[in-house]
Amino acid sequence: MTTQSFITFISNPVPQVVFAIFLAVAWPLSRFAGRDRRRRIVAALFVASAGMIVALTATPSYADPASFAAIPPHFLTQLDEPRLILAKLIAAPSDMEQIANIALYVPLGVFGRLLLRSTTRATLAGFLLVFTIETIQYAIPGRAGSITDIRNNVLGTFLAAVATAAVVYLSRDDAERRSPVGQPR
């Protein structure tokens, strides 16, 4: 996606409305995270990051219709080719779009790890979101779900969750070192 096509995309009202809906429900939904205000803020940010992802990836592409011919086949049409799928899964990210797909899921990984208190659960949440989006892209004009997008998005979620877990662990360890022996924190 070029800078110009990205600007055209985000200036379209459909992604803006989708993101606004997620922002509007983020705080009310956060009440399911409990009474702790910090936990509710993390939950609201988790929902908002999911909304950003949905707005950017699960809405129609308003690119030039002539460019639709360049859209690769949807991954659902390739399920009968396991070697192709495996090759795409194990190939290293190769261009800036793939790096951007990793970065897109970093906020979800950070807030997912803080909210769900597990790297595995945060990564699973990222996988479920991307798998759902990439599957429904089959029916969205100008979109084509991709195995590499699934891989890159899950990788972004996982790396962010691991980094967040490390920061949480190190900050707790640091607080324990500063606490006098026998004194509660």
Side-chain angles (χ1 to χ4, degrees):
M1 178 178 276
T2 65
T3 303
Q4 183 58 42
S5 63
F6 179 74
I7 291 169
T8 301
F9 177 74
I10 62 171
S11 64
N12 188 285
V14 174
Q16 292 174 2
V17 168
V18 168
F19 187 54
I21 290 168
F22 272 84
L23 288 179
V25 301
W27 187 250
L29 284 177
S30 74
R31 79 172 210 266
F32 294 109
R35 294 186 184 269
D36 178 32
R37 186 165 178 81
R38 289 178 295 190
R39 191 156 165 74
R40 283 196 69 186
I41 291 169
V42 169
L45 291 170
F46 179 77
V47 172
S49 64
M52 175 190 63
I53 291 166
V54 171
L56 290 172
T57 62
T59 55
S61 174
Y62 296 96
D64 177 20
S67 68
F68 285 2
I71 295 175
H74 193 280
F75 81 92
L76 292 176
T77 65
Q78 299 172 334
L79 291 179
D80 60 343
E81 302 177 51
R83 286 186 178 156
L84 174 65
I85 291 173
L86 181 61
K88 289 181 177 189
L89 284 174
I90 63 174
S94 60
D95 58 27
M96 284 310 294
E97 182 179 352
Q98 290 189 21
I99 302 300
N101 274 316
I102 293 169
L104 179 63
Y105 274 69
V106 166
L108 192 80
V110 170
F111 300 125
R113 174 59 180 84
L114 293 172
L115 178 66
L116 303 172
R117 298 185 178 134
S118 163
T119 299
T120 303
R121 288 191 294 255
T123 304
L124 180 60
F127 170 76
L128 293 173
L129 179 62
V130 68
F131 185 77
T132 301
I133 289 170
E134 295 296 314
T135 301
I136 66 170
Q137 282 182 351
Y138 191 76
I140 300 174
R143 298 291 184 169
S146 158
I147 289 293
T148 56
D149 285 355
I150 293 171
R151 178 206 58 209
N152 293 332
N153 296 156
V154 171
L155 181 61
T157 306
F158 173 73
L159 293 175
V162 167
T164 302
V167 168
V168 167
Y169 175 78
L170 292 173
S171 66
R172 284 184 182 159
D173 190 42
D174 189 46
E176 289 172 3
R177 281 188 300 229
R178 284 189 264 151
S179 175
V181 177
Q183 296 291 325
R185 289 186 280 154

